[in-house]
Amino acid sequence: KGISKTRLGLISLSAASIGDAAAWCLLALVLSCIKDNLVVASIAIIGGTSYALFFLLIGKNILKYIL
């Protein structure tokens, strides 16, 4: 309990989220290869990257304000 407030907990959660995002990108690529349509994978990867950048750059400040 409270491990997310420690340095080790933060590193663990960050590593897990990066791994999860990479797995979703790979899944999008595999599914697009099966359908032979790379547009779907491109949209998924660009959307995921945009979402992550938004929360890294802007969402962090919004969450600090709210919490």
Side-chain angles (χ1 to χ4, degrees):
K1 189 170 184 169
I3 195 166
S4 64
K5 295 178 182 166
T6 66
R7 184 166 171 82
L8 180 61
L10 182 63
I11 291 171
S12 299
L13 288 171
S14 299
S17 65
I18 290 170
D20 193 37
W24 279 107
C25 289
L26 286 174
L27 179 63
L29 284 173
V30 168
L31 291 176
S32 68
C33 288
I34 290 171
K35 297 265 185 184
D36 199 26
N37 186 359
L38 289 177
V39 174
V40 174
S42 300
I43 291 171
I45 292 171
I46 290 170
T49 304
S50 301
Y51 178 79
L53 286 174
F54 171 79
F55 274 101
L56 283 173
L57 300 175
I58 299 170
K60 183 178 176 183
N61 294 330
I62 293 171
L63 288 176
K64 277 184 185 178
Y65 178 75
I66 292 172
L67 299 175

